Amino acid sequence: MRFLILLLLWLPAACLHARELVDARGQPLLLEKPAQRIVVLAPNLAEDLDAIGALDRVVGRVAHTDYPAQVAKLPLVGDYQQFNVEAILSLNPDLVLAWQEGNPEAQLRKLEAMGLEVFRLSSQHIRDIPDNLIQLGRLTGQEAQAEQAAAAFHRRLAELEPAEGPRPRLFYLLWDDPLLSVSNSTLIGEAIAFCGADNLFAERPEAIPQLNMEAVIAAQPDLIVSTNEVGDNWRERWLSWKQIPAVARQQLVSLEADYLHRATPRFLSGLDELCKAVSAARAQM
């Protein structure tokens, strides 16, 4: 015991706080101390840091990182697909947070080759959201706040248990020119299944399939869902297609994109809206 006490007294403080984490790519990261200067390469990552009380660690962001409002004042380093390596280096970050499914891997490896610590987080599944909060808590030394945020997420998710009944056939309009939807390998696809609907293009091999109008008409959706990202008038452009059940029954629903498209605690607000839309469509079947 005496030897252990002497050893602890001798070890540098940084060693006592060192922690090893494994990111979404399976790559280990050893942090000697909690990250203090963080660059985020996706909008949801800043929002998640805010949820655990660590937004003040963010020193750089990519385009569309705009929530909470104060983060929009931070320096830009490009967008999630094309970021400026020199701009990132100039901010002297001790950690770069990356989006596993969205940021180009070649660019992330370039950052690592320049000596930057890069940690990848996934946002493919609903369960990734509370898991990411826990990981971010460990990266920033905000473990207690992260545990609370993750527990609150789990509690609210449990309250959103969808009603049983017939499963509406749902077409998710991610974009309208070109016509894009989602497969089940996406967070939105998992949300559709959670709410008790059948995603018409769930089995497509690509995460974001490009479609034509004939495919949508042939699929006969009971519900068409899109978001404000597509614009305010997208529903009007579908009204002439009366042979589609969703159009005939006026089941064209617009949701808030920042809720449903970002893997953050606010995702549950979007999930709630989606489940209500599915329930309304079910009542019309």
Side-chain angles (χ1 to χ4, degrees), residues 57-78:
R57 315 288 180 88
V58 181
V59 296
R61 65 186 177 98
V62 290
H64 307 297
T65 305
D66 53 12
Y67 186 90
Q70 60 264 39
V71 79
K73 301 176 183 178
L74 295 175
L76 275 172
V77 297

Side-chain angles (χ1 to χ4, degrees), residues 179 201 211-220 241:
L179 202 61
F201 302 100
L211 311 165
N212 55 43
M213 184 60 74
E214 290 74 17
V216 178
I217 294 172
Q220 291 287 282
W241 301 98

Side-chain angles (χ1 to χ4, degrees), residues 184-203:
N184 267 5
S185 65
T186 63
L187 182 64
I188 301 169
E190 189 168 304
I192 293 169
F194 175 91
C195 289
D198 289 332
N199 178 8
L200 293 179
F201 302 100
E203 302 306 320

